[in-house]
Amino acid sequence: MRIADPHIRSVTSPAADVLGPRLANGDRKRPKEPSGPGTAVITKTKPQTKRPNLYRVLLLNDDYTPMEFVVHVLERFFNKDRETATRIMLHVHHHGIGECGVFTYEVAETKVTQVMDFARKHQHPLQCVMEKK
């Protein structure tokens, strides 16, 4: 009759198969992670959000649109106060071009369309354009 010593395991014992082989220092190797059906690795990734491109909305000078009309456009469509609108209008008058604001593409496109429609409705040749910043 054999007496089993609990501290000695046979290499072929079922326990050795489950626990895996021992390393030189006596520690056991980690068993491989199961990769069959029913196992999943869940990782939470934080999406990287990209800032949208910005566009400058610009007014172009012409010799026919009244200065007061340009000030009115800046107040109405770009929410500028009278002093700021006058300063921008004078910049457009002296330099030929002036920046009304910086917006995302959709907002800039809408502002340009609104200004152009408003100017045409009042029979002024005022030009408003947008450019990528």
Side-chain angles (χ1 to χ4, degrees):
M1 181 163 137
R2 253 174 116 181
I3 299 176
D5 186 353
H7 299 291
I8 300 174
R9 286 200 181 130
S10 165
V11 177
T12 60
S13 74
D17 291 340
V18 172
L19 296 175
R22 288 186 183 267
L23 297 173
N25 66 2
D27 291 341
R28 296 230 179 249
K29 280 187 176 179
R30 291 184 141 190
K32 290 185 178 180
E33 297 293 325
S35 60
T39 61
V41 177
I42 300 173
T43 58
K44 187 171 186 176
T45 58
K46 185 176 180 185
Q48 292 290 347
T49 53
K50 182 184 166 206
R51 292 196 177 270
N53 292 324
L54 296 177
Y55 293 80
R56 299 170 65 203
V57 176
L58 307 167
L59 284 179
L60 306 178
N61 189 39
D62 65 74
D63 294 333
Y64 303 101
T65 304
M67 292 180 179
E68 192 56 40
F69 183 79
V70 175
V71 170
H72 178 69
V73 164
L74 290 163
E75 290 173 335
R76 179 174 177 163
F77 297 105
F78 299 97
N79 298 321
K80 304 294 183 189
D81 58 57
R82 175 68 64 162
E83 183 180 332
T84 304
T86 302
R87 184 176 46 77
I88 294 170
M89 177 274 299
L90 288 173
H91 186 274
V92 171
H93 181 69
H94 292 295
H95 296 95
I97 193 167
E99 183 180 285
C100 305
V102 178
F103 309 96
T104 60
Y105 180 84
E106 291 80 10
V107 174
E109 186 178 44
T110 301
K111 298 259 185 209
V112 167
T113 302
Q114 288 174 332
V115 170
M116 296 292 287
D117 290 347
F118 189 71
R120 297 298 158 266
K121 181 180 173 187
H122 290 87
Q123 299 178 346
H124 294 298
L126 181 65
Q127 293 293 306
C128 185
V129 296
M130 59 189 256
E131 71 175 22
K132 194 171 186 179
K133 187 166 182 181

